[in-house]
């Protein structure tokens, strides 16, 4: 009976990945972002710049608050009440995207971006708290497999959601979906209601599929009441943790490394669809097919990466994936309708499309595997007694400079007036992240490094 309960708890945790993945797959990357840039914003270049500034500001807010919230959660016990609150922001932000009408006036444009940011904040904060549950799901040797399988399961969820959107809702310029029908439910293709339905669809998907998480992932009773004294103690503990970070060189190096390479990855996800729409002239349906391919390979990459993590540890997996992503960025920067790897191609050639499809496969495989291995690595590096706080710091490292990728892309796009050159800063971000991994110990700090800090006299 205990084994059944434990297995169900793992599956409940995996269902959270399934539930939240469409925000990344449908909204951030393959459906809503390119639709916003191509149809809602005044023009694709302006749309890419606006999307960049929105991600910049949302990332800044997440970075400031994430470690504080993690510290408070560690001091007040159960994480599910917090996750319930963040879920409400996720649902609100996604649902409101229905009002992103084509050619929206400037005031509505701003509100669309605000609500997208609200949903993204709910997504990111929810992930902090669910990631902190990971160490309780298995032994140190098993969490790599559990993390990788969970990420793979999430990719499959995003893939299924994307296929449903393309088959029945998202319309192309001719007003029909991938299977040649008008959007279902009587949605008006002239007003792009099929594509705009991606917001409510994502909200409803999350609302339904997050239920197993709340039913099956049980937690210990609340450790302390939520009051001002607890908050002050949590903030004091966080301050102590930050002051002691230089003593833990491996953890500090890993947080620094992940700051850069995860920001680069977020940049690819946030702007890949926008790039395909603006530079290659792809329709939403074409971008969606690209997403199906990327998500399918990504699910396989997560599964394989989880097994590789279990056998060799997360660090080799992370290094390999970063190298693949640098290679992909170099290809993207050197490819458009007229050239591939800076070599000219014939007018109307399908070679740029084929190359970008191959890049999508590599992004899916490397991106999924590196994210799963990264949270496993964080478990190895962190103080086991302050795991939510640690994942708050992990979110901070992913968001502290998360404004860098969108900000640099927005700046490079504005200065060069080129979407292709606008994504070039991502190469530098990945390279810096790879360099900082030199100081990261594969197994993290020894237990003795944390024993003194966990003792009552140091609490």
């Amino acid at each position: 009976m205990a084994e059944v309960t434990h297995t169900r708890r793992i599956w409940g945790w995996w269902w959270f990945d399934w539930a939240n993945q469409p925000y990344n797959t449908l909204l951030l990357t393959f459906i809503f972002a390119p639709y916003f840039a191509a149809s809602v914003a005044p023009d694709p270049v302006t749309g890419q710049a606006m999307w960049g500034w929105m991600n910049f500001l949302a990332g800044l807010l997440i970075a400031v608050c994430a470690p504080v919230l993690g510290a408070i959660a560690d001091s007040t016990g159960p994480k599910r009440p917090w996750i319930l609150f963040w879920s409400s922001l996720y649902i609100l932000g996604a649902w409101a995207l229905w009002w992103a009408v084509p050619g929206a006036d400037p005031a509505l444009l701003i509100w669309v971006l605000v609500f997208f940011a609200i949903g993204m904040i709910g997504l990111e904060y929810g992930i902090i708290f669910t990631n902190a549950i990971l160490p309780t799901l298995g032994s140190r040797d098993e969490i790599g497999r559990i993390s990788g399988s969970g990420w793979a399961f999430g990719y499959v969820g995003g893939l299924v959601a994307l296929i449903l959107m393309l088959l029945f809702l998202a319309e192309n310029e001719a007003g029909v979906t991938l299977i040649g029908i008008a959007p279902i439910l009587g949605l008006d293709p002239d007003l792009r209601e099929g594509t705009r339905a991606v917001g409510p669809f994502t909200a409803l998907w999350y609302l339904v599929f997050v239920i197993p998480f709340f039913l099956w992932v049980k937690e210990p009773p609340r450790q302390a009441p939520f009051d001002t004294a607890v908050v002050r103690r949590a903030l004091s503990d966080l301050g102590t943790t930050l002051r002691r970070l230089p003593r833990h060189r491996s953890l500090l190096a890993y947080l620094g490394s992940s700051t850069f390479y995860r920001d680069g990855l977020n940049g690819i996800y946030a702007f890949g669809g926008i790039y395909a729409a603006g530079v290659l002239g792809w329709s939403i349906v074409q971008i969606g097919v690209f997403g199906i391919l990327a998500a399918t390979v990504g699910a396989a990459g997560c599964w394989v990466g989880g097994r590789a993590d279990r056998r060799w540890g997360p660090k080799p997996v992370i290094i390999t994936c970063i190298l693949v992503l640098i290679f992909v960025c170099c290809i993207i920067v050197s490819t458009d309708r007229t050239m591939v790897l800076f070599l000219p191609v014939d007018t109307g050639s399908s070679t740029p499309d084929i190359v970008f499809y191959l890049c999508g496969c590599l992004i899916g495989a490397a991106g999924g595997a590196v994210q799963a291995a990264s949270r496993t690595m964080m478990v190895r590096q962190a103080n086991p007694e302050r795991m939510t706080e640690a994942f708050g710091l992990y979110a901070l490292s992913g968001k502290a400079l998360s404004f860098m990728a969108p900000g640099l892309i927005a700046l490079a796009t504005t200065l060069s007036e080129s979407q292709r050159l606008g994504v070039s800063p991502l190469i530098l971000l990945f390279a810096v992240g790879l360099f900082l991994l030199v100081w990261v110990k594969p197994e993290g700090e020894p237990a003795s490094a944390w024993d003194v800090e966990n003792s009552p006299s140091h609490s």
Side-chain angles (χ1 to χ4, degrees):
M1 182 64 182
E3 180 61 29
V4 172
T5 301
H6 179 67
T7 300
R8 181 177 293 179
R9 193 165 180 265
I10 292 173
W11 272 101
W13 190 80
W14 285 345
W15 274 108
F16 184 85
D17 276 343
W18 175 286
N20 74 42
Q21 183 60 34
Y23 210 98
N24 289 310
T25 303
L26 301 184
L27 303 186
L28 187 62
T29 306
F30 297 118
I31 300 291
F32 187 78
Y35 164 70
F36 175 86
S39 300
V40 183
D43 60 78
V45 174
T46 301
Q48 177 165 303
M50 293 181 70
W51 197 252
W53 295 125
M54 179 274 297
N55 276 273
F56 168 87
L57 295 173
L60 189 61
L61 180 60
I62 292 168
V64 170
C65 297
V68 175
L69 290 168
I72 293 172
D74 271 331
S75 300
T76 57
K79 299 161 184 63
R80 292 198 304 171
W82 290 91
I83 297 169
L84 186 63
F85 175 71
W86 306 131
S87 296
S88 67
L89 296 186
Y90 178 111
I91 293 168
L92 172 65
W95 193 281
L97 301 183
W98 165 257
W99 284 277
V101 297
D105 62 71
L108 183 58
L109 272 177
I110 298 301
W111 277 111
V112 167
L113 293 173
V114 167
F115 276 105
F116 186 93
I118 288 172
M120 188 165 69
I121 288 168
L123 167 70
E124 294 290 346
Y125 286 163
I127 289 173
I128 292 170
F129 286 79
T130 53
N131 280 349
I133 298 173
L134 175 60
T136 70
L137 300 177
S139 67
R140 185 182 180 91
D141 293 334
E142 285 296 311
I143 57 174
R145 178 190 62 81
I146 293 171
S147 178
S149 297
W151 217 286
F153 191 56
Y155 260 75
V156 173
L159 174 62
V160 172
L162 180 59
I163 291 173
L164 292 175
M165 274 295 304
L166 293 175
L167 293 181
F168 302 113
L169 290 169
E171 66 279 279
N172 59 20
E173 285 74 8
V176 296
T177 70
L178 185 62
I179 55 176
I181 65 171
I184 63 173
L185 305 177
L187 297 174
D188 188 346
D190 292 334
L191 296 176
R192 302 302 300 270
E193 288 183 345
T195 299
R196 288 159 50 198
V198 70
F201 177 86
T202 299
L204 289 172
W205 179 281
Y206 182 88
L207 187 63
V208 171
F209 290 115
V210 81
I211 292 173
F213 173 84
F214 287 105
L215 290 179
W216 298 342
V217 182
K218 304 298 183 182
E219 293 186 278
R222 182 176 294 275
Q223 298 169 354
F226 185 82
D227 56 27
T228 56
V230 170
V231 173
R232 287 195 299 270
R233 185 171 68 251
L235 295 178
S236 175
D237 289 344
L238 174 61
T240 301
T241 298
L242 293 174
R243 288 193 300 272
R244 289 173 176 168
L245 264 181
R247 303 180 191 175
H248 303 285
R249 186 178 178 185
S250 180
L251 172 60
L252 183 60
Y254 178 62
L255 290 173
S257 172
S258 67
T259 295
F260 288 93
Y261 74 72
R262 286 193 294 144
D263 193 32
L265 182 60
N266 290 336
I268 290 181
Y269 287 154
F271 293 93
I274 294 175
Y275 178 93
V279 176
L280 299 181
W282 284 8
S283 69
I284 295 297
V285 172
Q286 283 178 293
I287 295 170
V289 173
F290 170 82
I292 291 174
L293 184 62
T296 302
V297 177
C302 290
W303 187 86
V304 172
R307 267 64 189 167
D309 184 334
R310 183 181 182 184
R311 181 170 182 179
W312 294 296
K315 186 174 180 179
V317 176
I318 294 171
I319 291 173
T320 301
C321 292
I322 292 175
L323 290 172
V324 170
L325 292 168
I326 290 175
F327 173 69
V328 168
C329 287
C330 291
I331 294 177
I332 292 174
V333 170
S334 60
T335 298
D336 63 15
R337 268 286 155 224
T338 65
M339 63 183 180
V340 172
L341 296 174
F342 295 119
L343 299 175
V345 297
D346 294 334
T347 302
S349 172
S350 62
T351 302
D353 302 301
I354 294 171
V355 168
F356 204 65
Y357 276 121
L358 292 175
C359 286
C361 291
L362 293 175
I363 291 170
V370 76
Q371 289 179 94
S374 293
R375 64 184 178 187
T376 305
M377 177 64 89
M378 189 63 220
V379 171
R380 295 195 177 195
Q381 301 294 324
N383 181 344
E385 299 297 321
R386 304 290 298 175
M387 195 56 67
T388 317
E389 179 184 273
F391 272 103
L393 292 173
Y394 178 68
L396 174 62
S397 74
K399 294 297 179 182
L401 298 179
S402 65
F403 50 82
M404 256 193 325
L408 289 172
I409 290 173
L411 180 61
T413 302
T414 302
L415 293 177
S416 67
E417 298 183 346
S418 166
Q419 285 186 267
R420 178 176 61 82
L421 296 178
V423 299
S424 58
L426 298 180
I427 298 172
L428 177 63
L429 296 178
F430 284 123
V432 174
L434 184 64
F435 174 72
L436 291 175
L437 282 175
V438 171
W439 290 276
V440 177
K441 299 177 182 178
E443 298 300 322
E445 304 281 357
S448 58
W450 302 109
D451 288 343
V452 173
E453 294 183 10
N454 292 337
S455 66
S457 61
H458 285 75
S459 61

